[in-house]
């Protein structure tokens, strides 16, 4: 898989420390199951976190020791890094299949208008996560964000102000990004997207519909 847009170190560290809301955990776990590079980085944070937690007292790791540990881990053969996440053929990688209780055909879509569909998944309330189905060539209403938004592409591709995102790519948006994601022609685009605050739509119609859609 040719993944160009990855998770950030901050997010991987927070995931490893278990401080992310459930909705974001699902997006991270799903990306990790598709991405060797981020999985290796996450494994190194797990190892460092584990080493710190094993001591009775709060361990202080010198910068040099931390770098040496990370270097050691990065030199480990790929097989030694946890690879238990394998996935059955389908659109959804295993962590998402487990969450949904199946693949694409078990999703209960609700229409959002203009051919766009969504399915909100059940998670704890601090953040929400949904599957989005955007027909090829269709666009999401342009919007900005009051908090964080993390979007993982599962099928097809979309483009916006930040670039092109294909299967496996993650887009991380915050208050700074104002975007207008548009699905590429040729294949309908399916994404998994988590948010921790409502979006800010720039036109009236989506703003009116917003409370009903729980976006
Ligand atoms: Zn990655
Ligand atoms: Zn957005």
């Amino acid at each position: 898989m040719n993944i160009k847009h990855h998770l950030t170190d901050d997010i991987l560290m927070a995931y490893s420390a278990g401080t992310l809301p459930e909705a974001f955990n699902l997006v991270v776990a799903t990306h990790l199951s598709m991405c060797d590079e981020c999985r290796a980085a996450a494994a190194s944070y797990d190892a460092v976190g584990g080493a710190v937690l094993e001591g009775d007292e709060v361990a202080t790791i010198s910068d040099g020791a931390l770098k040496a540990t990370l270097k050691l881990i990065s030199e480990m053969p790929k097989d030694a890094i946890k690879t238990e996440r394998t996935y059955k053929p389908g659109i959804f990688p295993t962590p998402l299949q487990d969450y949904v209780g199946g693949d694409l055909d078990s999703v209960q879509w609700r229409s959002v208008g203009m051919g766009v569909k969504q399915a909100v998944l059940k998670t704890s309330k601090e953040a929400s996560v949904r599957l989005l189905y955007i027909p090829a060539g269709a666009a999401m209403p342009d919007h900005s964000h009051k908090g964080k938004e993390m979007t993982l592409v599962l099928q097809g591709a979309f483009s916006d102000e930040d670039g092109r995102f294909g299967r496996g790519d993650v887009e991380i948006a915050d208050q700074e990004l104002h975007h207008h994601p548009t699905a590429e022609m040729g294949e309908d685009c399916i994404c998994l997207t988590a948010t921790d605050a409502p979006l800010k739509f720039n036109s009236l119609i989506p703003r009116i519909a917003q409370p009903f859609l729980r976006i």
Side-chain angles (χ1 to χ4, degrees), residues 44-60:
S44 69
Y45 289 125
D46 283 350
V48 171
V52 171
L53 290 175
E54 269 163 28
D56 283 344
E57 296 158 35
V58 179
T60 46

Side-chain angles (χ1 to χ4, degrees), residues 155-177:
Q155 179 189 288
F158 72 84
S159 292
D160 69 8
E161 287 72 356
D162 253 7
R164 178 192 184 270
F165 298 82
R167 177 166 164 89
D169 282 327
V170 198
E171 180 174 49
I172 298 155
D174 58 16
Q175 286 93 331
E176 318 253 291
L177 181 72

Side-chain angles (χ1 to χ4, degrees), residues 15-42:
Y15 176 75
S16 170
T19 57
L20 288 177
E22 188 182 4
F24 287 90
N25 272 338
L26 178 61
V27 180
V28 172
T30 306
H31 178 79
L32 291 184
S33 74
M34 304 164 95
C35 179
D36 292 341
E37 203 175 311
C38 288
R39 195 164 56 238

Side-chain angles (χ1 to χ4, degrees), residues 3-215:
I3 298 177
K4 290 203 179 65
H5 303 272
H6 295 274
L7 297 165
T8 62
D9 287 334
D10 282 3
I11 290 169
L12 287 171
M13 256 185 266
Y15 176 75
S16 170
T19 57
L20 288 177
E22 188 182 4
F24 287 90
N25 272 338
L26 178 61
V27 180
V28 172
T30 306
H31 178 79
L32 291 184
S33 74
M34 304 164 95
C35 179
D36 292 341
E37 203 175 311
C38 288
R39 195 164 56 238
S44 69
Y45 289 125
D46 283 350
V48 171
V52 171
L53 290 175
E54 269 163 28
D56 283 344
E57 296 158 35
V58 179
T60 46
I61 299 183
S62 72
D63 218 32
L66 180 63
K67 283 214 182 83
T69 309
L70 292 178
K71 184 164 177 289
L72 226 111
I73 292 162
S74 71
E75 284 164 357
M76 278 160 71
K78 275 257 162 68
D79 293 348
I81 292 167
K82 54 175 174 181
T83 50
E84 81 273 18
R85 295 186 195 280
T86 53
Y87 56 94
K88 300 155 224 150
I91 299 293
F92 293 173
T94 304
L96 185 56
Q97 285 191 13
D98 291 348
Y99 233 85
V100 171
D103 210 323
L104 195 54
D105 47 9
S106 39
V107 177
Q108 301 199 318
W109 295 104
R110 297 184 64 178
S111 174
V112 176
M114 314 287 283
V116 178
K117 297 183 286 185
Q118 72 165 358
V120 178
L121 306 180
K122 274 206 180 75
T123 58
S124 62
K125 287 218 167 68
E126 47 203 325
S128 68
V129 62
R130 72 199 64 227
L131 285 157
L132 276 176
Y133 191 106
I134 311 164
M140 291 291 293
D142 68 316
H143 63 272
S144 49
H145 314 88
K146 288 178 188 157
K148 266 210 177 351
E149 179 189 72
M150 203 190 284
T151 304
L152 170 67
V153 179
L154 301 164
Q155 179 189 288
F158 72 84
S159 292
D160 69 8
E161 287 72 356
D162 253 7
R164 178 192 184 270
F165 298 82
R167 177 166 164 89
D169 282 327
V170 198
E171 180 174 49
I172 298 155
D174 58 16
Q175 286 93 331
E176 318 253 291
L177 181 72
H178 175 150
H179 66 164
H180 190 190
T182 305
E184 219 165 79
M185 297 304 291
E187 195 172 17
D188 295 341
C189 183
I190 299 171
C191 299
L192 178 68
T193 175
T195 47
D196 61 4
L199 304 182
K200 265 188 336 209
F201 291 107
N202 303 294
S203 53
L204 187 60
I205 300 290
R207 237 186 286 154
I208 292 171
Q210 192 165 16
F212 304 103
L213 304 176
R214 296 200 285 143
I215 283 183

